């Protein structure tokens, strides 16, 4: 049954970026993989990883992601809510300003990605085929000693440039589908799940080239480095150039299938949970006001 959802439009911008990659997509985005790590599709990749490296191998590195997600999302929501209120009072006193919401979301994303980027670097290095790292601490120590602290942020600018178009496409697609599936804007779990899943799939597919470049910056894949005269790939332009030199245009879409499959349940769950709590909090607020 569809339940009326009172409009709280300013909350929509507070959904944090749903970026990231699974072990399968990290492997499939490798530009020049080891012959033993060449996969034709997602199912083959997942099956071979489990069969040859163990059941828990696809989950390697997710503990560091979970550790980083706590402070990253705390920073995101705290910054967003504070800036949203401050900027709204300046731009549109007593009302809601979409400009303020967008600006607050952009600044909050800077903090969110700053906290998550080192965790993403460690996770992806641990997920690579024949990764020498078995523990998070080993990976962190090796990267710090061999490449310096800057290695944890080589993909930071790429992550930011990827989050902006991803979020723009994601939100626009979700709102477009909601207008068709749920024009009354009621709390309707099925419409939120379907719209969220489709929005995540479209955004993930379109931004795959940026994700490939981010993966290359994070992993500094040794075979790909041979085509780069500087010894390290240090920026998005360098990453784009290296990807093209190694694999051509098609290399920009390596792992697109795995990335889309990863995002579909992620965004579907995120939107359904978000809409549920938005409805629940709004209902509680209205009941509290009515009881005063």
């Amino acid at each position: 049954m569809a339940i009326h959802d009172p409009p709280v439009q300013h909350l929509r911008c507070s959904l944090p970026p749903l970026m990231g990659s699974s072990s399968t997509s990290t492997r499939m985005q490798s530009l020049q993989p080891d012959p033993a790590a060449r996969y034709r599709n997602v199912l083959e990749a997942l099956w071979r990883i489990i069969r040859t490296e163990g059941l828990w191998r696809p989950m390697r590195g997710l503990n560091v992601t979970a550790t980083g997600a706590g402070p990253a999302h705390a920073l995101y929501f705290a910054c967003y809510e504070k800036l949203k209120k401050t900027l709204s009072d300046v731009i549109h006193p007593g009302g809601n300003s979409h400009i303020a919401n967008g600006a607050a979301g952009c600044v909050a994303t800077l903090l969110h990605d700053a906290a998550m980027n080192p965790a993403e670097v460690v996770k992806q290095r641990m997920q690579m085929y024949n990764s020498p790292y078995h523990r998070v601490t080993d990976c962190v120590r090796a990267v710090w000693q061999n490449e310096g602290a800057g290695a944890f942020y080589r993909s930071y600018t790429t992550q930011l440039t990827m989050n902006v178009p991803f979020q723009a496409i994601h939100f626009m697609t979700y709102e477009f589908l909601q207008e068709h599936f749920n024009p009354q804007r009621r709390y309707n779990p099925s419409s939120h799940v379907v719209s969220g899943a489709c929005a995540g799939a479209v955004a993930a597919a379109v931004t795959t080239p940026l994700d490939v470049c981010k993966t290359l910056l994070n992993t500094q894949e040794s075979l790909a480095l041979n085509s780069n005269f500087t010894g390290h790939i240090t920026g998005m332009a360098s990453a784009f150039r290296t990807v093209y030199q190694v694999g051509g245009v098609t290399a920009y879409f390596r792992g697109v299938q795995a990335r889309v499959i990863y995002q579909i349940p992620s965004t579907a769950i995120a939107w359904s949970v978000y809409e549920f709590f938005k409805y629940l909090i709004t209902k509680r607020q209205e009941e509290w006001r009515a009881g005063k």
Side-chain angles (χ1 to χ4, degrees):
M1 178 182 294
I3 305 173
H4 179 66
D5 180 20
V8 190
Q9 296 299 330
H10 64 277
L11 288 176
R12 293 197 183 279
C13 292
S14 65
L15 185 72
L18 292 168
M19 308 301 295
S21 58
S22 63
S23 177
T24 305
S25 65
T26 298
R27 294 280 188 93
M28 295 185 74
Q29 286 176 351
S30 176
L31 297 177
Q32 293 183 337
D34 186 281
R38 295 180 185 274
Y39 312 111
R40 290 173 294 183
N41 54 58
V42 176
L43 292 179
E44 182 192 11
L46 185 60
W47 167 247
R48 286 175 56 187
I49 289 172
I50 293 175
R51 183 167 58 87
T52 60
E53 302 174 54
L55 179 63
W56 297 107
R57 186 64 176 85
M59 306 297 289
R60 178 178 285 186
L62 292 186
N63 57 337
V64 69
T65 302
T67 302
H73 285 76
L75 283 170
Y76 186 91
F77 283 113
C79 176
Y80 175 78
E81 294 297 336
K82 177 62 177 177
L83 280 178
K84 178 186 67 178
K85 184 178 185 306
T86 302
L87 294 176
S88 291
D89 290 342
V90 173
I91 299 172
H92 190 188
N96 177 48
S97 170
H98 294 297
I99 296 176
N101 296 338
C106 288
V107 176
T109 300
L110 295 177
L111 296 178
H112 174 276
D113 289 358
M116 280 301 298
N117 212 85
E120 187 76 4
V121 170
V122 174
K123 183 193 75 172
Q124 290 192 320
R125 293 207 180 200
M126 294 183 69
Q127 288 175 345
M128 292 297 289
Y129 180 73
N130 273 343
S131 172
Y133 312 114
H134 297 285
R135 294 183 301 179
V136 171
T137 52
D138 294 337
C139 183
V140 172
R141 187 182 304 111
V143 173
W144 183 281
Q145 292 176 348
N146 298 330
E147 302 175 52
F152 293 106
Y153 285 95
R154 281 201 188 101
S155 66
Y156 182 54
T157 54
T158 303
Q159 182 77 358
L160 291 176
T161 55
M162 181 169 61
N163 276 347
V164 171
F166 180 94
Q167 288 293 72
I169 296 168
H170 184 196
F171 280 113
M172 286 190 296
T173 304
Y174 181 82
E175 295 293 347
F176 174 79
L177 292 175
Q178 279 293 285
E179 288 177 359
H180 287 74
F181 296 149
N182 189 18
Q184 301 300 320
R185 293 307 177 107
R186 300 174 182 271
Y187 172 61
N188 190 328
S190 60
S191 75
H192 300 318
V193 169
V194 173
S195 298
C198 293
V202 172
V206 173
T207 58
T208 294
L210 289 169
D211 194 49
V212 170
C213 292
K214 184 202 72 173
T215 298
L216 178 59
L217 286 167
N218 281 343
T219 60
Q220 295 292 301
E221 190 181 345
S222 59
L223 290 174
L225 291 177
N226 293 334
S227 64
N228 188 285
F229 297 107
T230 63
H232 282 100
I233 303 167
T234 56
M236 187 170 61
S238 176
F240 264 99
R241 185 167 53 252
T242 303
V243 171
Y244 183 78
Q245 289 173 347
V246 173
V249 175
T250 57
Y252 291 115
F253 291 92
R254 286 180 182 267
V256 62
Q257 185 183 24
R259 179 167 160 77
V260 169
I261 292 175
Y262 174 82
Q263 285 293 341
I264 286 176
S266 175
T267 50
I269 293 170
W271 275 113
S272 59
V273 171
Y274 170 80
E275 295 283 6
F276 170 73
F277 278 102
K278 186 181 74 172
Y279 162 74
L280 188 64
I281 292 171
T282 303
K283 183 180 179 181
R284 293 284 178 86
Q285 288 176 340
E286 291 188 341
E287 291 176 349
W288 180 77
R289 291 193 189 102
K292 289 184 66 176

